[in-house]
Amino acid sequence: MSTTSPTSTVAAARADSAVQAARGMRAALMAMGVSGVLGAVKVIAGVAGHSYALIADGVESLLDIVSSIAVWGSLKVAAADPNHRFPYGYGKAEPLAGLVIAAGLVVVAGVLAVQSIHEIRKPHQAPEVFTLIVLVVVVAVKELLFRWLVQTGREIESRAMESDAWHHRSDALTSIAAFIGISIALWGGKGYESADDWAALAACGLIAYNGVRLFRDALREILDAAPHGETLERIRAVAAAVPGVTGIDDCRARKSGLGWLVDIHVEVDGDMPVREGHRIAHEVKDALLTSEASVLDALVHIEPSGHGPCDV
């Protein structure tokens, strides 16, 4: 029989989740600093270099600070321990932040699109050459930041962090669009001054697309959509490997913060004593909580072999 109490095993699983949350919070703080510096540089360069595409790009970078703050706050809240009022914890704060961040992407895209159209319709001075140098540096930094954040988000299974990473990828895309637009304006000369505004408008479509995609994914998580088959198969395999388990009758999981809450029905010999079945149930729970499947808690129901799920 396992000598580890269920309470201590659950606490250990949640402590591991808190460690992952702390990692995500550090990444969010780093992203805030980078976005602040790049945003200020782009806005100043855009004003000095007469490029609205660069100004719009800089505004988006500054707004990335808001999304990083949302990620930091959501991870901090999601890592809080459950209590009597919230027995399942605060895990939904994390995808909720992802939902807000994704909606923010769509709103920002709409605002920038309207302003881009306004700039296209009015004549203005062609952008300066030095703005291209600024954009090359920005794209390189933002792409590196995106890759780091999206990898961190996937490793700690944070929807909010993945959404925030795409904020930075969108920022890189708008910078590329601005680079193309400014290059056309400089190469084309008189009559092509609005090329960078058209580039900003095209980038808005990319930003909106990513926002809608991320909004859909975060909404699915809030509505407790089933995880990918690979996750369920991993959970089933861990439970099936426990001695005394003869089969898995049913298995469901829902995301909570950076981990999973699992409901699983395992089959055992129908003639064994209740006490023995109870022991096996705790063994299954301990195995899930200490596995690599990121399970925060598990409700294990015992079924007799060869029978369907109970009606009760």
Side-chain angles (χ1 to χ4, degrees):
M1 182 178 293
S2 173
T3 58
T4 306
S5 70
T7 301
S8 63
T9 308
V10 171
R14 291 195 175 276
D16 182 64
S17 179
V19 171
Q20 299 293 349
R23 178 186 174 191
M25 290 162 65
R26 289 193 297 271
L29 288 173
M30 175 72 76
M32 274 188 260
V34 173
S35 294
V37 172
L38 290 183
V41 169
K42 285 191 284 187
V43 170
I44 293 171
V47 172
H50 313 293
S51 170
Y52 177 72
L54 190 52
I55 295 173
D57 197 13
V59 170
E60 189 195 352
S61 288
L62 293 175
L63 287 174
D64 286 344
I65 298 175
V66 178
S67 69
S68 294
I69 291 173
V71 171
W72 182 87
S74 70
L75 290 171
K76 187 175 181 63
V77 172
D81 292 331
N83 52 47
H84 291 297
R85 185 171 177 80
F86 297 96
Y88 294 101
Y90 299 86
K92 292 300 180 185
E94 197 270 335
L96 182 60
L99 199 71
V100 173
I101 293 169
L105 273 174
V106 177
V107 172
V108 168
V111 172
L112 293 179
V114 170
Q115 188 60 34
S116 295
I117 293 172
H118 176 71
E119 291 293 323
I120 289 171
R121 296 175 63 182
K122 75 174 186 179
H124 56 79
Q125 187 175 346
E128 300 290 340
V129 175
F130 74 83
T131 56
L132 295 176
I133 300 173
V134 174
L135 286 168
V136 169
V137 175
V138 166
V139 169
V141 173
K142 278 293 187 175
E143 181 63 20
L144 288 173
L145 185 60
F146 161 77
R147 291 175 183 272
W148 177 56
L149 287 177
V150 81
Q151 180 179 352
T152 301
R154 287 172 181 169
E155 288 176 354
I156 68 174
E157 298 189 59
S158 170
R159 182 67 62 192
M161 177 147 287
E162 286 193 57
S163 296
D164 190 36
W166 276 98
H167 257 287
H168 298 287
R169 166 57 69 82
S170 295
D171 202 0
L173 291 175
T174 56
S175 295
I176 292 173
F179 183 92
I180 295 172
I182 292 172
S183 297
I184 293 173
L186 292 172
W187 176 76
K190 187 173 179 58
Y192 286 84
E193 294 87 354
S194 64
D196 74 316
D197 302 318
W198 281 104
L201 184 61
C204 290
L206 296 173
I207 297 171
Y209 170 78
N210 283 319
V212 170
R213 181 178 61 82
L214 293 168
F215 186 93
R216 180 195 60 199
D217 291 343
L219 184 61
R220 282 173 51 84
E221 192 169 310
I222 288 175
L223 295 177
D224 291 334
H228 296 299
E230 180 181 323
T231 300
L232 282 181
E233 288 304 316
R234 187 185 308 128
I235 292 171
R236 282 175 170 268
V238 170
V242 174
V245 173
T246 60
I248 305 298
D249 186 64
D250 190 20
C251 181
R252 290 177 291 177
R254 54 196 173 99
K255 192 78 181 298
S256 179
L258 303 183
W260 297 94
L261 300 178
V262 175
D263 298 315
I264 189 167
H265 292 209
V266 299
E267 295 181 352
V268 299
D269 182 357
D271 295 325
M272 71 169 48
V274 173
R275 187 181 299 277
E276 180 66 10
H278 180 73
R279 182 191 68 79
I280 292 175
H282 277 297
E283 293 287 349
V284 170
K285 181 172 182 174
D286 288 347
L288 289 173
L289 294 179
T290 56
S291 70
E292 299 295 322
S294 300
V295 177
L296 295 177
D297 204 352
L299 180 62
V300 183
H301 182 76
I302 296 297
E303 298 278 1
S305 296
H307 292 72
C310 297
D311 295 329
V312 179

